[in-house]
Amino acid sequence: VSDLAQVIAKEAEPQDLPPAFPELAPLSLEPAPEAPAPTGLEEDDEMRQIFLEEAAEVIDDARQALGRLHAHPDVVLDQTAVRRAFHTLKGSSRMVGLQDFGEAAWACEQLYNAQLAAQHAAPAPLLALTDELLNHFAQWREAIVARTDASWRPEPVVRVAEAMRLHGEHLDRKSTRLNSSHGYISYAVFCLKK
């Protein structure tokens, strides 16, 4: 009888349930690494065309994951899919010499690294910003296709992503005033051109 009581008591003990968010390795939110060494593919039109085709698919996949996140913001798999999309855009663009595009994507990847590390449901302002960012990257990709991308810069994307990551602020997409060492700077975030 005492053996049976011990078995029943053991089964009645609370079971360790897996957390809603799996344990994650610590994520580095270090400053952007220096520009990667030349790959030899920077002037390869065929590789650039492959990047442009794949970038369209990656952006579309991220939009699909984001659509699911709007309905279920706590799904880690979809948060990870968006993060992976920014990671892929970063690496692939840098490989073909599109350093500015890569830097902007890196800032968005860091935003999602922080979100995943926090292990919370994605807040509505993050999802709204991500919609805007994915639209921006799609437009930038189109500018690259048309070879009209010379004036596109990463700084506005970096500022917007950092404002969300560091302060939880969704900066106005039309006109944003940011503090800088030179005072306030006004810029049109989604023109993203100097």
Side-chain angles (χ1 to χ4, degrees):
V1 173
S2 72
D3 288 339
L4 179 59
Q6 288 177 349
V7 169
I8 292 172
K10 185 173 181 165
E11 287 182 13
E13 291 177 5
Q15 299 291 323
D16 288 334
L17 298 176
F21 285 86
E23 292 287 329
L24 297 174
L27 297 172
S28 171
L29 298 177
E30 297 295 319
E34 291 184 27
T39 62
L41 302 174
E42 293 81 5
E43 301 302 322
D44 187 326
D45 285 340
E46 184 177 347
M47 289 304 293
R48 187 170 284 207
Q49 184 59 36
I50 291 169
F51 161 74
L52 293 169
E53 290 169 10
E54 289 182 356
E57 292 173 17
V58 167
I59 292 167
D60 185 55
D61 290 346
R63 285 177 169 158
Q64 290 176 30
L66 186 61
R68 293 188 299 270
L69 281 171
H70 280 290
H72 303 285
D74 58 337
V75 177
V76 176
L77 187 63
D78 288 325
Q79 291 182 32
T80 302
V82 173
R83 180 224 166 261
R84 187 179 318 111
F86 288 126
H87 174 79
T88 300
L89 292 172
K90 172 197 72 178
S92 299
S93 62
R94 287 177 173 174
M95 186 180 300
V96 296
L98 298 169
Q99 302 305 325
D100 286 347
F101 193 99
E103 184 178 340
W106 176 84
C108 298
E109 177 188 9
Q110 292 302 298
L111 173 59
Y112 269 84
N113 282 345
Q115 170 60 33
L116 287 164
Q119 299 184 357
H120 295 292
L126 172 65
L127 299 179
L129 176 62
T130 304
D131 274 328
E132 294 170 9
L133 290 167
L134 290 171
N135 289 335
H136 170 72
F137 279 105
Q139 292 168 2
W140 196 345
R141 180 201 160 276
E142 290 300 320
I144 295 168
V145 169
R147 298 191 184 272
T148 59
D149 60 305
S151 62
W152 288 68
R153 298 288 180 256
E155 293 85 4
V157 172
V158 171
R159 288 182 184 123
V160 167
E162 285 182 353
M164 178 63 69
R165 178 174 62 90
L166 299 174
H167 308 291
E169 296 175 1
H170 183 173
L171 299 179
D172 183 89
R173 65 179 248 144
K174 298 291 183 197
S175 175
T176 304
R177 296 182 71 74
L178 291 179
N179 218 351
S180 77
S181 59
H182 304 325
Y184 285 97
I185 300 172
S186 284
Y187 62 95
V189 173
F190 284 86
C191 289
L192 296 181
K193 298 180 181 184
K194 273 190 169 176

